[in-house]
Amino acid sequence: MIVFDQVSKEYNMGAVKVTALDEVSLRIAPGEFVAVLGPSGSGKSTLMNLIGCLDTPSHGSYMLDGEPVGRLKRKELAAIRNRKIGFVFQNFNLLAYATAVENVELPMIYGKVSTGERKRRAKELLEIVGLGKRGSHRPSELSGGERQRVAIARSLANQPEIILADEPTGNLDSKSGGEIVDLFGNLHTQGKTLIIVTHDDRIAAHCKRVIRLLDGKIDSDTLNSAAPVN
Amino acid sequence: MSAFIEYFYEIKKEKLRMLLTMLGVCWGMTNIVLMLSVGEGLYRQFTRSFRGMGEGFVVFWAQQTSKPFAGLGIGRRIRLSEEDLGLIRSRVPEIAKISAEIEVGEQELKLARSTVMASLCGYGPAYGEMRFFFPEAGGRFINDVDEQQKRRVIFLGNNVRDKLFGTGVDPVGRILLFRGIPFTVIGVMVKKYGVGGGEHGNDGDLAIIPYSTCRTIFHRDWVGAVMFSPRTPGEAEAAFKGIRALLAAKYRFDPTDEAALGHFNAIEMAGTLNNVFRGIQLFLGLVGALTLIIAGIGVANIMYVTVRERTREIGIKMAVGARPGYIIGQFVTEALLTTIVGGAFGVALALGMIKGIRSLPIQHEVMEYLGKPVFSAMLALICTTILTFIGLLAGVFPARRASRVDPVEALRYE
């Protein structure tokens, strides 16, 4: 359960204070499938960084599964990211020198999973995202869609409850993008909480709940009855 | 995978950069190993040649007074007699061995038609051990019977033997003439290393006859110098003080008058020289270490560049749950690997150079003093410790910067 209570995030840009997120209150229950929409500069990324524990609020409180995240140390935040959250980025953010299997293993290394178990699970996850035969390839040898699927496999490595995706289809052609969206649909049916930041309305159409941000505030928060039933 | 794979990837990607960094460490390490090895060689060589002089003895001789005493003026010449030895032996308990000596200077020794100059001395039997006059196989030094019976026997320095009988010839039992008197050769001194350690030149040029025989030939009724060894090395000063007090009473000079009796304490000298040479070695080691520190700065510099270049990668790792400690560990490991690999090549290079230097057939006199570089286990330990320390230092600061990277910023970093 994600609970934001009047969360603000301010950045100091030299002498000017920029409010990226302005007293946002929000509640996302386990298993929800949420799209976060908004024009650039509306605070989407900031919201994602806060939910993902990459950053901490300037004001207000963020409770993740009843734990106040704002007071945690960097070490503890890292542990939460490792256990509870899976990230999928627009530019994939894979390690260039590592193979697909090794990339998927990465969160499990930090989660202290044994080597044998790590390898086994990494291969299994690549199988799930449809890359069972591409495990020994490096990112440079994979297409954009394949890279994003590796990233999704990686986000699932430690079986987190929440998957955060930031413009996951932004760098993909529409066909690969469609496949990625389908994958997210599958994850949703498995009970994961999915939060996808996008400005692509076609993706938003698949989500059960759509949150629109504008100037750091929630502009609208609606249930999408038109979303396909999986 | 983890740190090692990343490191090899980094080496592959930045071959020249890594090579140059390692070259710096390699050279720094070569430097410190060579410096310390040369220092060690110098120390050993000096110890060896210093040992040639003998060990654990004190020599003293009479000089002139420099302080007025009991109405007597300064500048009064003191002259020791043979009786003084008996007196000292009975009154100064710290003394183990004591013996008088006569050094006559250059004298002619004759064998058949050949004549050779040698530095002739009359020494007591105790000198053999104290001054390291070791006989070659088949020979012996002057013994108590020689001394008591004023035998006409002679112990030759190896150089004298070489000139008189030929190099390496065993002359024991042969007879030579000194002042027309026949002397039987009883032994030849084992060659001493380095400078030879003699008080007046090379001990190889000595020709030694019993003290009693010498005194009779030259009609000496006074003693030039006396050598003694204390029961334990620490008692040398106390023994000499006892002697000075005793002789001051006998010859009526101020017991605090240091000029009345001259002395040379080989024990104290050995300690001082030991410190001097350890000091030289420490200095050489420091010079080497400074070079290595510069190499360490090079490693740290490269690590900072690496951290900057890999900011995004650090961000990715943090996003998937790498704790700051893990990031620190990774970069420290890389810095350590660079220094250790570079250092290993440095040690290998230095060892090769040492081997090369040692195998050079240099017969120059300078080498007699300098000795040859020696690498020891102790030096290996010192070098490894310094290297590891520098590697850690070179890694820790860049690694700390890496661990403080803001993941949000890092993921956006291009």
Side-chain angles (χ1 to χ4, degrees):
Chain A
M1 176 73 89
I2 296 163
V3 181
F4 270 44
D5 186 17
Q6 300 203 314
V7 169
S8 297
K9 183 68 190 178
E10 289 158 358
Y11 296 104
N12 289 314
M13 306 288 246
V16 191
K17 202 178 256 181
V18 177
T19 306
L21 218 56
D22 194 4
E23 296 192 348
V24 168
S25 294
L26 176 70
R27 189 177 274 263
I28 297 172
E32 281 200 72
F33 191 3
V34 184
V36 179
L37 275 84
S40 34
S42 60
K44 298 192 302 278
S45 295
T46 306
L47 181 66
M48 289 300 274
N49 292 336
L50 289 176
I51 293 175
C53 297
L54 284 169
D55 216 338
T56 48
S58 308
H59 308 289
S61 89
Y62 169 24
M63 305 282 273
L64 177 61
D65 296 335
E67 201 173 358
V69 168
R71 285 193 219 124
L72 297 180
K73 293 180 193 146
R74 288 171 61 107
K75 198 169 88 177
E76 294 159 333
L77 289 174
I80 287 185
R81 289 196 296 270
N82 188 248
R83 277 199 325 272
K84 296 195 171 176
I85 293 156
F87 286 98
V88 179
F89 301 96
Q90 178 175 8
N91 47 16
F92 324 126
N93 276 335
L94 298 174
L95 297 180
Y97 52 82
T99 62
V101 170
E102 286 164 353
N103 266 294
V104 178
E105 279 182 71
L106 195 64
M108 294 190 271
I109 292 174
Y110 305 134
K112 301 198 162 60
V113 178
S114 70
T115 315
E117 171 67 8
R118 226 157 61 196
K119 293 247 179 276
R120 194 190 61 71
R121 215 194 289 173
K123 282 178 186 154
E124 192 181 288
L125 286 166
L126 285 173
E127 203 78 52
I128 290 169
V129 297
L131 287 174
K133 293 193 176 108
R134 311 281 275 163
S136 58
H137 291 255
R138 289 180 209 285
S140 57
E141 298 156 347
L142 298 171
S143 73
E146 287 171 325
R147 286 182 211 180
Q148 196 60 299
R149 281 189 270 163
V150 175
I152 291 171
R154 180 182 66 188
S155 75
L156 298 169
N158 284 333
Q159 292 148 326
E161 292 143 34
I162 302 163
I163 305 291
L164 291 178
D166 193 353
E167 303 278 8
T169 59
N171 284 358
L172 301 178
D173 58 69
S174 59
K175 183 174 168 287
S176 315
E179 287 166 8
I180 297 300
V181 173
D182 289 344
L183 255 174
F184 283 132
N186 290 341
L187 294 176
H188 171 58
T189 54
Q190 287 163 26
K192 300 278 185 203
T193 309
L194 279 143
I195 303 169
I196 302 175
V197 168
T198 184
H199 46 241
D200 186 343
D201 287 326
R202 285 175 302 173
I203 295 178
H206 283 80
C207 302
K208 299 284 165 59
R209 178 179 171 191
V210 177
I211 298 171
R212 285 178 194 275
L213 290 179
L214 192 66
D215 297 333
K217 287 178 185 291
I218 293 178
D219 188 43
S220 70
D221 186 348
T222 54
L223 288 179
N224 181 8
S225 51
V229 178
N230 290 284
Chain B
M1 79 159 221
S2 64
F4 286 96
I5 289 180
E6 280 157 40
Y7 185 62
F8 289 122
Y9 179 79
E10 185 72 18
I11 290 176
K12 231 163 93 184
K13 203 177 68 182
E14 298 289 350
K15 280 194 199 93
L16 186 65
R17 187 163 85 188
M18 296 306 277
L19 197 73
L20 287 174
T21 312
M22 282 183 184
L23 192 68
V25 178
C26 172
W27 183 240
M29 195 64 176
T30 307
N31 244 300
I32 192 170
V33 170
L34 274 184
M35 288 287 193
L36 286 173
S37 298
V38 166
E40 182 71 16
L42 189 69
Y43 171 73
R44 288 195 187 180
Q45 181 71 4
F46 198 83
T47 309
R48 196 157 73 154
S49 60
F50 188 73
R51 275 182 69 86
M53 194 181 72
E55 193 174 68
F57 65 82
V58 178
V59 191
F60 66 89
W61 55 91
Q63 296 182 154
Q64 290 177 340
T65 57
S66 69
K67 288 181 182 174
F69 184 74
L72 296 161
I74 62 167
R76 196 158 46 89
R77 176 164 279 284
I78 308 287
R79 188 160 265 190
L80 302 177
S81 73
E82 265 177 62
E83 294 161 21
D84 297 342
L85 267 70
L87 186 67
I88 291 167
R89 208 178 273 126
S90 62
R91 296 279 187 84
V92 184
E94 291 92 350
I95 285 175
K97 281 183 197 145
I98 186 160
S99 184
E101 65 179 59
I102 299 173
E103 288 180 346
V104 188
E106 292 288 298
Q107 297 288 326
E108 286 181 354
L109 297 180
K110 286 184 181 174
L111 178 77
R113 283 194 199 93
S114 62
T115 303
V116 156
M117 298 300 285
S119 178
L120 196 100
C121 309
Y123 285 156
Y127 271 66
E129 233 173 88
M130 290 191 283
R131 290 272 281 105
F132 288 169
F133 294 148
F134 298 128
E136 286 181 356
R140 65 171 178 85
F141 190 66
I142 291 157
N143 64 21
D144 290 336
V145 184
D146 297 330
E147 181 66 27
Q148 282 157 19
Q149 301 185 352
K150 298 179 190 171
R151 279 180 175 168
R152 287 160 183 172
V153 293
I154 190 160
F155 182 82
L156 299 176
N158 56 301
N159 291 344
V160 177
R161 182 268 314 270
D162 290 351
K163 282 186 268 185
L164 209 52
F165 295 95
T167 307
V169 173
D170 180 10
V172 172
R174 309 237 338 235
I175 290 165
L176 53 77
L177 291 178
F178 167 53
R179 292 199 154 196
I181 307 163
F183 275 80
T184 307
V185 178
I186 52 169
V188 176
M189 195 187 306
V190 170
K191 183 183 184 331
K192 289 187 176 186
Y193 281 100
V195 281
E199 283 169 79
H200 311 296
N202 196 316
D203 281 351
D205 295 327
L206 290 178
I208 301 164
I209 59 176
Y211 172 78
S212 53
T213 315
C214 192
R215 188 196 51 189
T216 310
I217 292 171
F218 289 95
H219 308 293
R220 285 260 186 114
D221 58 353
W222 50 274
V223 171
V226 177
M227 182 178 278
F228 71 86
S229 63
R231 289 178 307 196
T232 62
E235 286 176 318
E237 276 307 309
F240 181 64
K241 266 192 189 146
I243 290 168
R244 191 156 60 194
L246 193 63
L247 295 180
K250 180 172 174 183
Y251 294 105
R252 299 172 64 78
F253 63 82
D254 189 331
T256 63
D257 188 351
E258 303 220 342
L261 290 181
H263 83 301
F264 172 77
N265 185 344
I267 299 163
E268 191 184 42
M269 190 73 165
T272 308
L273 282 170
N274 204 41
N275 288 343
V276 166
F277 275 84
R278 283 303 177 204
I280 289 174
Q281 209 176 5
L282 188 68
F283 170 73
L284 290 173
L286 274 179
V287 172
L290 286 178
T291 322
L292 196 57
I293 285 170
I294 293 170
I297 293 171
V299 174
N301 202 5
I302 287 301
M303 290 311 294
Y304 273 119
V305 175
T306 307
V307 167
R308 181 182 291 254
E309 282 182 355
R310 284 159 54 185
T311 300
R312 188 188 191 84
E313 181 191 310
I314 296 166
I316 296 172
K317 289 184 173 175
M318 286 182 163
V320 301
R323 291 156 198 237
Y326 184 92
I327 305 288
I328 291 182
Q330 179 195 337
F331 284 99
V332 170
T333 307
E334 288 194 20
L336 267 180
L337 278 173
T338 306
T339 48
I340 286 169
V341 172
F345 279 109
V347 172
L349 182 64
L351 289 181
M353 286 166 83
I354 290 169
K355 211 176 167 196
I357 295 168
R358 291 185 68 88
S359 66
L360 286 178
I362 300 172
Q363 290 296 335
H364 195 270
E365 206 182 322
V366 170
M367 291 305 284
E368 292 266 288
Y369 286 93
L370 194 57
K372 288 180 172 180
V374 182
F375 191 64
S376 66
M378 187 63 194
L379 295 187
L381 187 73
I382 291 170
C383 293
T384 313
T385 310
I386 294 176
L387 186 74
T388 313
F389 185 65
I390 287 177
L392 277 177
L393 270 186
V396 161
F397 295 101
R400 275 164 64 94
R401 174 176 287 185
S403 76
R404 285 176 187 163
V405 159
D406 176 5
V408 175
E409 297 276 324
L411 286 168
R412 232 182 280 147
Y413 194 89
E414 292 302 328

